[in-house]
Amino acid sequence: MKRLIAHRGMSSLAPENTLAAFSLCKEHHIQWFECDVDILKDGTIIVSHDDTLDRCTDKSGQLCKISHADIDNIDAGSWFADEFIGEKLPTLQELIALANKLELNMNIEIKSCSASAALSYTLIDNLIAGLKDLNPDRELIVSSFNHLALTEFKRRSPETQVACLFESHTLWDDWNSILDWCNADYIHPEDKGLTQEMVHKFKTAGFKVNVWTVNDLARANQLFNWGVDGICTDIAHKFPSKYKILGNK
């Protein structure tokens, strides 16, 4: 099975990590999307890549300093285009409801809580609780660069498939031990510097491979020919239909 995964939703067509970006996956026949989850001070799980509001909303400040009641006053779409004025930061509940409704599969990345380890534990607890509302026929991968948090998540939710994320400069020779420690099903390496030999080692060790972030069609074709299971991309809509069909299997 090959996967085409829309990075933060259809992030070149709509503001990243919003319901609008995720909804466009269905229109463009993309079965999978990737998103990021973080936590507000009241325990609300929110969809956001950054732990601050500055880059992708009309407000400034840390997520851990706001609560659910503040969301309605935050515009997460006007920075991208006028047609998205009023787009909100999605909650986990809204994300799951959309995935269920549109029959989309998700790769949810757990962000590291810069505020405290205590908030990270709460993030894991509340994520697991929220995922109980996900329809059982939906596919799910939970990933993280924070392998400590991922290990704790897998311990508490052993039935969920998990993936260790790596940047190129952190993919050291102990990757296999890290994946074993996390009881991981997948490795998610950065595309930069990835070689056929590395992919072969990952696959031989028994791990599935999804590569991020691939925005070149020829490179994506090469990676699939090397045997990777999926790629994460900002331009899923530009891929030929054969890739989209593969991604929908």
Side-chain angles (χ1 to χ4, degrees):
M1 183 194 304
K2 303 295 183 183
R3 293 188 180 92
L4 193 61
I5 306 169
H7 184 227
R8 305 177 195 171
M10 302 296 287
S11 55
S12 62
L13 300 178
E16 66 176 59
N17 276 325
T18 62
L19 296 182
F22 304 139
S23 296
L24 284 174
C25 291
K26 191 71 172 182
E27 178 180 330
H28 291 274
H29 309 290
I30 306 300
Q31 189 70 47
W32 281 82
F33 66 82
E34 183 268 354
C35 64
D36 309 273
V37 294
D38 211 320
I39 190 168
L40 307 185
K41 68 179 181 181
D42 62 357
T44 300
I45 305 299
I46 203 79
V47 182
S48 177
H49 175 271
D50 300 0
D51 61 1
T52 64
L53 298 164
D54 303 53
R55 185 174 63 88
C56 292
T57 79
D58 62 342
K59 299 292 190 295
S60 181
Q62 294 179 290
L63 292 181
C64 64
K65 298 292 180 64
I66 65 171
S67 62
H68 187 278
D70 299 311
I71 294 176
D72 285 342
N73 298 317
I74 299 171
D75 184 330
S78 59
W79 67 271
F80 188 89
D82 288 347
E83 65 187 282
F84 298 107
I85 292 173
E87 193 73 27
K88 302 301 180 187
L89 293 170
T91 64
L92 177 63
Q93 288 74 21
E94 292 169 332
L95 176 75
I96 291 173
L98 183 74
N100 288 339
K101 178 182 177 181
L102 299 183
E103 299 182 330
L104 297 172
N105 302 321
M106 298 186 290
N107 173 187
I108 296 178
E109 180 186 337
I110 300 174
K111 305 304 290 185
S112 290
C113 297
S114 58
S116 69
L119 265 184
S120 292
Y121 277 113
T122 304
L123 171 56
I124 292 169
D125 286 339
N126 293 356
L127 176 59
I128 291 172
L131 287 172
K132 292 179 180 178
D133 293 328
L134 186 65
N135 288 345
D137 56 346
R138 303 276 37 88
E139 293 186 64
L140 172 69
I141 302 170
V142 171
S143 62
S144 188
F145 287 102
N146 185 330
H147 302 143
L148 291 173
L150 192 67
T151 299
E152 182 64 14
F153 175 88
K154 183 70 170 182
R155 186 183 71 81
R156 299 189 192 187
S157 185
E159 71 282 1
T160 304
Q161 293 194 99
V162 303
C164 291
L165 275 159
F166 291 93
E167 293 181 285
S168 298
H169 69 277
T170 64
L171 190 54
W172 302 313
D173 291 340
D174 62 351
W175 61 267
N176 202 343
S177 296
I178 294 172
L179 267 71
D180 286 343
W181 192 274
C182 294
N183 198 16
D185 306 276
Y186 287 84
I187 182 169
H188 287 185
E190 183 179 6
D191 178 41
K192 181 182 177 181
L194 190 65
T195 66
Q196 186 173 14
E197 180 184 9
M198 294 165 70
V199 171
H200 178 72
K201 286 181 179 180
F202 301 151
K203 300 290 287 187
T204 301
F207 299 106
K208 298 175 185 176
V209 184
N210 293 325
V211 182
W212 62 275
T213 301
V214 185
N215 292 329
D216 180 271
L217 301 184
R219 174 60 168 172
N221 187 63
Q222 180 182 51
L223 290 168
F224 280 131
N225 285 336
W226 287 355
V228 306
D229 298 277
I231 63 161
C232 193
T233 180
D234 297 316
I235 57 167
H237 60 292
K238 293 186 177 182
F239 278 70
S241 58
K242 74 169 187 174
Y243 290 102
K244 296 178 183 181
I245 293 170
L246 287 171
N248 283 325
K249 284 186 179 178

